[in-house]
Amino acid sequence: MGNKQTIFTAQHKYLKLFPRLFYRYRDLAPQLVPLDYTNQPDVKLPYELIGSMPELKDNPFRQRIAEVFSEDGEGNMTLDDFLDMFSVLSEMAPRDLKAYYAFKIYDFNNDDFICKSDLEKTLNKLTRNELTEDEVRMVCEKVIDEADLDNDGRLSLEDFQHMIVRAPDFLSTFHIRI
Amino acid sequence: MVFVTCKDTVTGRACCVVLCTTEEQNLVKELVGLSTRDRIRAIRGLSMSFKEKKHIRLVLSHYVSLIIKQYNTNNQVLIQWSCFKLFSQSFRRCGYSIKSARQTLKLWQSIMKEIGGRFGTSVLSYFVFLKWLLMFNIFSFLVNFGFITIPLLVYDPSPNIPPNVSFTGLEMLTGAGYFTYTIMYYGGYSNETLVGLVKYDMKLAYFFTIAVYMVLCGIALIFSMASSFKKNYVLADPTSNSAWQLLSSWDFSITNERAVRQRKNNLRVQIQESLSDKAQRQLLTLSEKLKHLGVYLGFWLLSTSLVVGCGVSIYYLYAANWSLLQEAETLLVPFVVSLMNLVVPLLYSLFNKFEHYSSHRRQIYALVVRNILLKMSILAVLCYYWMNVVAKKFSCWESVVGQALYRLVIVDFLFLMLGSFFGEFLSNVIGTRLIPRLGVPEFDVARNVLELIYAQSLAWIGIYFSPLLPAIQILKLFILFYLKKVSLTQNCQPPRRTARAAQMQTIFIALLFFPFFVGSLSIVAYTAWRLTPSEQCGPFRGLNSTFSVVGVWMDDLHEIPGSQWVIWIYENIIKSEIFYFLMTLIIIDTYIAIENKPFMNCG
């Protein structure tokens, strides 16, 4: 590696939103976020501010999203985390990257597998806890039956990706406009 | 270690990046083997500066995303690649603030965000499609106006109108009368070579502008279709739905609280339905299956006969009506055509309710195919009449055809507005006050998109006969956007079934291209190739066919030295049939190559 200074010319278009995103980040807490980042201030916005953004406040997964993209794993985001979050959730981010982060979002206990309890939590968030316990159990079992390819009773990243490959809408639904 | 600094022009922030050393690479290799929780803990415990830890973390995330993509090995080269990517990403962050000029060209960005937030991605796809068509028309108008109309206006600004014709208000609707002699139609263009700053041959300009525009449209459509297929390359239904429903159907772009609540409700209902379906799945008996098949075939026969009936009646109406050329009566045929386009699809939706389909998707496809058949047959009958009867009957027949198309476009617009009124406003009133069982209507994306496609194909056919028709189309699409947006927000509810938005987008583009664009292109090509241009008006008067303009130009070029290569290209390539065969092969090849390219992600 060493002194490589060649310019990488691939089209990472999902980073084009950078200036607008910076001003959105700053608008959340103008007194905390300086305009001048030359000294690389260590500014972290608490989860409450991030979760109150209009794009996120009604999303049932907003807490998990903030946790996944934040450095400390608790939802408090620096500017870089904020940019990463909206880059991955923009329409230009590639499918594999989105699948990777979606997997992490649904993996509530951070054990790199989506197990039955993760699925139950997901289902409850998506249906306002209105399904009966039996129904929840049946749906989760069905999902694991269908998607679990290596038969270990839980979904690994490969199983999840395999399922996403068969759902072409995923790219357009896993997308937040800002 | 190498430090690179650059300065971001917006924030003034200096981006400072460190490329990896071997120790860092080994560390990354170790960390990648741990689970996420352990990884976070391990990084926290490292004795490094905050900046270095952050660097390691970012390298790790790039590396992991590379592993999951295609390579399953824990590779030294990949770690170095991740480090390099991090460097390039920071570099680009600095430079990209300039590129944000593209933001200013985003028309209607906030409205689309609002619609997507309240109604979801599938309804939004209609508005995205409308905006895309608007861009096509803006491009077409600029090209036509710039290359054909402006030279003529500069040379001869006043139209030569006979003395007894004056402007009455009715021209806006019928396109005839005063407009016949203006630059609105083919007849208003001269066939001379304008001598000004340069020698500008109007014949060649007209021919090449339209030819190049159609070719560019075709290429743009092919590429959109290819990229759309590439993104959504799975067209088949997955065999079961629940895993998909649960994990990948939640629309993250919905931002309205009520919409979110409704979505959750719908999802719950769908899940409960699918659970109960499993519990009591009835097998249909043979007689029931036969009955369903019989009903299905019966309705197909009925729809086909409706289409044939419409076609025949339009033909005879046109034939009978042509003797009455008084202005108001020329509106009769477009009125009837648009009425059929409004009523018959509603009848098809009614048929749909009586038929029994195995899946929701098949229902939509059947409806779409029937509507396409209807619209294509109507267009085919009209074009047949224009090419065979009008072309032989009138002295300036291209202008006459142009006027007919103008009328069709205008009346179609009026009926689209009416359709919005009936389709959405009245349904809302009926659904909420009169028959509450029906409920608030949903926005019918498929029907609306087909109407847009039909309108666009009218514009494409009309380009040859009326070069300024795209201007009308631009106005029409612009007003339609706001109209549909208001109608949607006032009258409709978000869709109950989570429709497959991505596949619908692909299908819309494919529908636009294959039947409608290719059809319009063939008609224009047939006109240019086979039909004799009119003797008294237009840029191609006196020639045997429009295409012979190129032959005449080639003859002229013989005298100019240094242009031998152009003549060679013409003689050996354009005139030979092998060229077109090769072109078709190349297009198909490129298409397949784009589709099969391994999924090269930038991650």
Side-chain angles (χ1 to χ4, degrees):
Chain A
M1 283 309 264
N3 286 320
K4 214 176 219 160
Q5 309 237 335
T6 49
I7 297 173
F8 191 64
T9 52
Q11 299 295 302
H12 282 234
K13 298 187 203 76
Y14 53 100
L15 288 178
K16 73 183 177 189
L17 299 175
F18 175 56
R20 251 190 334 137
L21 285 177
F22 173 70
Y23 288 123
R24 288 299 303 269
Y25 182 75
R26 187 156 188 277
D27 285 339
L28 292 173
Q31 70 280 15
L32 284 177
V33 179
L35 267 175
D36 178 15
Y37 256 71
T38 25
N39 303 320
Q40 297 182 49
D42 185 15
V43 174
K44 244 192 234 190
L45 292 185
Y47 165 68
E48 290 72 31
L49 285 177
I50 305 285
S52 67
M53 284 181 75
E55 286 84 0
L56 287 176
K57 71 171 166 47
D58 290 313
N59 195 313
F61 293 107
R62 60 188 176 279
Q63 178 141 22
R64 275 306 293 163
I65 295 175
E67 282 171 13
V68 161
F69 284 100
S70 64
E71 237 174 78
D72 57 7
E74 271 151 40
N76 308 314
M77 301 179 93
T78 63
L79 178 61
D80 276 334
D81 301 334
F82 189 80
L83 291 173
D84 281 341
M85 175 169 76
F86 281 107
S87 303
V88 170
L89 287 168
S90 79
E91 58 192 347
M92 291 297 180
R95 179 195 297 262
D96 287 338
L97 196 61
K98 288 196 181 203
Y100 174 66
Y101 280 103
F103 180 78
K104 287 180 78 170
I105 288 175
Y106 293 137
D107 179 14
F108 282 79
N109 51 9
N110 278 328
D111 62 353
D112 288 337
F113 287 100
I114 295 182
C115 55
K116 240 171 121 194
S117 67
D118 292 330
L119 281 176
E120 281 172 14
K121 290 206 191 88
T122 308
L123 191 54
N124 283 325
K125 278 211 192 282
L126 286 178
T127 57
R128 295 161 72 197
N129 293 322
E130 278 171 13
L131 291 178
T132 67
E133 268 195 48
D134 269 346
E135 285 170 337
V136 169
R137 191 180 40 85
M138 276 205 285
V139 171
C140 294
E141 276 171 5
K142 218 164 103 152
V143 170
I144 294 200
D145 272 336
E146 285 164 13
D148 189 11
L149 296 175
D150 47 15
N151 280 322
D152 56 357
R154 47 195 187 161
L155 301 182
S156 64
L157 182 58
E158 284 78 35
D159 300 333
F160 186 77
Q161 284 197 297
H162 187 81
M163 198 187 69
I164 291 296
V165 155
R166 291 183 297 151
D169 289 302
F170 175 68
L171 272 181
S172 54
T173 55
F174 194 68
H175 165 39
I176 293 186
R177 285 175 175 261
I178 184 157
Chain B
M1 292 232 192
V2 177
F3 276 85
V4 173
T5 50
C6 53
K7 216 162 150 121
D8 178 9
T9 48
V10 171
T11 63
R13 174 189 180 181
C15 322
C16 198
V17 171
V18 176
L19 296 174
C20 294
T21 61
T22 0
E23 300 102 57
E24 284 177 340
Q25 290 173 17
N26 291 332
L27 183 58
V28 164
K29 221 185 344 183
E30 268 177 44
L31 286 173
V32 115
L34 304 171
S35 78
T36 315
R37 214 190 295 145
D38 294 336
R39 211 180 289 155
I40 297 176
R41 229 181 288 140
I43 294 180
R44 272 204 205 131
L46 287 172
S47 54
M48 289 173 138
S49 75
F50 167 73
K51 215 176 10 174
E52 285 170 330
K53 280 193 202 173
K54 197 170 99 156
H55 178 71
I56 292 283
R57 231 176 276 157
L58 285 170
V59 168
L60 257 178
S61 68
H62 279 295
Y63 180 47
V64 169
S65 65
L66 275 176
I67 294 182
I68 62 177
K69 245 191 300 225
Q70 292 163 352
Y71 318 96
N72 274 313
T73 54
N74 204 334
N75 203 324
Q76 195 71 9
V77 173
L78 284 186
I79 303 181
Q80 293 172 345
W81 177 246
S82 315
C83 299
F84 184 54
K85 272 201 154 185
L86 181 60
F87 157 68
S88 55
Q89 200 180 47
S90 304
F91 193 96
R92 249 172 296 108
R93 259 192 210 173
C94 298
Y96 253 98
S97 45
I98 313 160
K99 302 280 173 76
S100 67
R102 262 180 81 184
Q103 296 298 318
T104 54
L105 294 174
K106 294 257 176 186
L107 182 66
W108 296 325
Q109 172 89 331
S110 54
I111 299 183
M112 308 238 270
K113 190 172 152 192
E114 188 199 318
I115 296 177
R118 261 185 74 182
F119 293 93
T121 330
S122 57
V123 169
L124 188 63
S125 62
Y126 168 78
F127 291 91
V128 169
F129 191 69
L130 200 159
K131 185 172 148 186
W132 192 64
L133 282 183
L134 185 68
M135 294 303 148
F136 264 111
N137 283 295
I138 290 179
F139 175 64
S140 144
F141 173 68
L142 288 173
V143 157
N144 278 359
F145 197 67
F147 286 106
I148 307 181
T149 316
I150 286 188
L152 194 69
L153 283 179
V154 160
Y155 181 72
D156 180 13
S158 58
N160 40 346
I161 304 170
N164 54 343
V165 177
S166 63
F167 184 80
T168 65
L170 202 56
E171 271 90 8
M172 299 297 284
L173 212 54
T174 62
Y178 186 78
F179 279 173
T180 324
Y181 307 99
T182 59
I183 46 168
M184 183 78 201
Y185 300 113
Y186 175 94
Y189 291 87
S190 84
N191 68 338
E192 300 153 2
T193 310
L194 311 173
V195 182
L197 284 170
V198 284
K199 270 175 72 177
Y200 196 80
D201 191 346
M202 279 303 289
K203 299 196 283 289
L204 285 177
Y206 200 97
F207 179 78
F208 278 119
T209 310
I210 300 203
V212 166
Y213 170 71
M214 291 299 238
V215 166
L216 284 178
C217 262
I219 293 177
L221 278 171
I222 292 181
F223 274 108
S224 305
M225 220 172 25
S227 70
S228 200
F229 272 138
K230 188 172 79 156
K231 263 205 294 189
N232 317 308
Y233 57 94
V234 176
L235 291 182
D237 225 334
T239 46
S240 55
N241 274 327
S242 69
W244 164 79
Q245 264 182 345
L246 185 54
L247 290 178
S248 50
S249 72
W250 180 260
D251 198 343
F252 278 67
S253 56
I254 296 189
T255 55
N256 179 294
E257 196 208 322
R258 229 180 78 198
V260 166
R261 234 182 312 135
Q262 256 174 327
R263 269 284 164 130
K264 286 184 179 174
N265 245 348
N266 294 341
L267 188 61
R268 175 180 60 85
V269 166
Q270 273 184 294
I271 289 180
Q272 283 173 336
E273 268 176 18
S274 76
L275 280 180
S276 66
D277 263 352
K278 268 239 142 147
Q280 12 145 322
R281 178 164 297 171
Q282 295 168 338
L283 287 169
L284 295 170
T285 64
L286 187 64
S287 66
E288 275 188 354
K289 276 196 199 160
L290 279 178
K291 196 172 82 162
H292 287 320
L293 193 65
V295 165
Y296 185 65
L297 283 176
F299 275 120
W300 260 106
L301 209 62
L302 191 56
S303 350
T304 323
S305 47
L306 258 179
V307 167
V308 169
C310 287
V312 166
S313 55
I314 290 177
Y315 186 85
Y316 282 113
L317 192 65
Y318 232 154
N321 206 26
W322 211 261
S323 47
L324 315 152
L325 262 192
Q326 282 122 345
E327 281 190 44
E329 273 141 345
T330 52
L331 283 176
L332 183 65
V333 172
F335 184 83
V336 169
V337 166
S338 293
L339 194 69
M340 283 178 187
N341 270 325
L342 181 69
V343 166
V344 176
L346 290 175
L347 281 177
Y348 286 157
S349 305
L350 193 68
F351 293 168
N352 236 340
K353 296 211 192 311
F354 292 114
E355 290 169 314
H356 200 90
Y357 285 97
S358 53
S359 75
H360 185 58
R361 263 169 134 233
R362 289 224 188 107
Q363 199 171 13
I364 294 191
Y365 284 160
L367 201 59
V368 162
V369 168
R370 284 177 189 164
N371 278 315
I372 292 177
L373 269 176
L374 173 73
K375 290 175 165 32
M376 287 209 76
S377 344
I378 290 182
L379 280 175
V381 165
L382 288 171
C383 290
Y384 177 77
Y385 191 79
W386 291 330
M387 304 289 126
N388 286 329
V389 178
V390 175
K392 303 193 172 67
K393 214 162 155 185
F394 289 88
S395 60
C396 199
W397 63 272
E398 288 100 343
S399 290
V400 174
V401 174
Q403 285 163 28
L405 278 161
Y406 177 92
R407 284 190 287 268
L408 275 171
V409 167
I410 297 274
V411 175
D412 182 55
F413 177 48
L414 294 173
F415 270 81
L416 276 179
M417 291 203 284
L418 259 185
S420 211
F421 178 76
F422 281 111
E424 284 133 32
F425 177 70
L426 269 190
S427 303
N428 188 27
V429 166
I430 295 177
T432 47
R433 315 253 170 100
L434 301 176
I435 313 178
R437 186 176 55 91
L438 287 177
V440 179
E442 287 174 19
F443 188 75
D444 191 347
V445 179
R447 181 174 63 87
N448 280 296
V449 166
L450 277 177
E451 284 171 5
L452 273 183
I453 293 180
Y454 171 75
Q456 184 56 37
S457 48
L458 282 178
W460 271 329
I461 297 177
I463 275 195
Y464 178 80
F465 304 103
S466 165
L468 293 184
L469 200 62
I472 313 282
Q473 184 80 352
I474 291 173
L475 214 64
K476 180 171 160 180
L477 288 176
F478 206 79
I479 298 178
L480 200 64
F481 184 91
Y482 289 104
L483 187 78
K484 288 289 175 183
K485 182 230 166 198
V486 166
S487 176
L488 177 74
T489 46
Q490 300 292 346
N491 300 327
C492 298
Q493 63 161 331
R496 274 172 286 224
R497 305 184 91 107
T498 45
R500 313 289 187 101
Q503 287 164 332
M504 280 166 78
Q505 190 76 2
T506 315
I507 290 166
F508 294 159
I509 302 179
L511 281 181
L512 184 66
F513 183 67
F514 282 116
F516 289 93
F517 178 74
V518 172
S520 320
L521 187 64
S522 335
I523 290 179
V524 173
Y526 178 77
T527 313
W529 213 279
R530 279 297 166 85
L531 296 179
T532 325
S534 49
E535 298 283 317
Q536 276 110 16
C537 63
F540 302 119
R541 59 192 99 157
L543 296 169
N544 271 337
S545 78
T546 312
F547 198 69
S548 53
V549 135
V550 183
V552 169
W553 182 49
M554 287 297 148
D555 291 334
D556 285 340
L557 271 187
H558 274 297
E559 284 131 43
I560 303 175
S563 56
Q564 299 303 322
W565 59 276
V566 182
I567 301 178
W568 184 87
I569 292 178
Y570 177 68
E571 294 289 327
N572 298 320
I573 296 184
I574 310 256
K575 268 185 154 175
S576 72
E577 292 79 19
I578 299 184
F579 173 69
Y580 295 107
F581 182 61
L582 279 177
M583 268 318 266
T584 323
L585 276 184
I586 290 175
I587 291 179
I588 295 180
D589 241 349
T590 326
Y591 190 79
I592 295 179
I594 294 176
E595 262 197 82
N596 285 338
K597 204 157 75 151
F599 213 72
M600 301 292 278
N601 277 327
C602 22

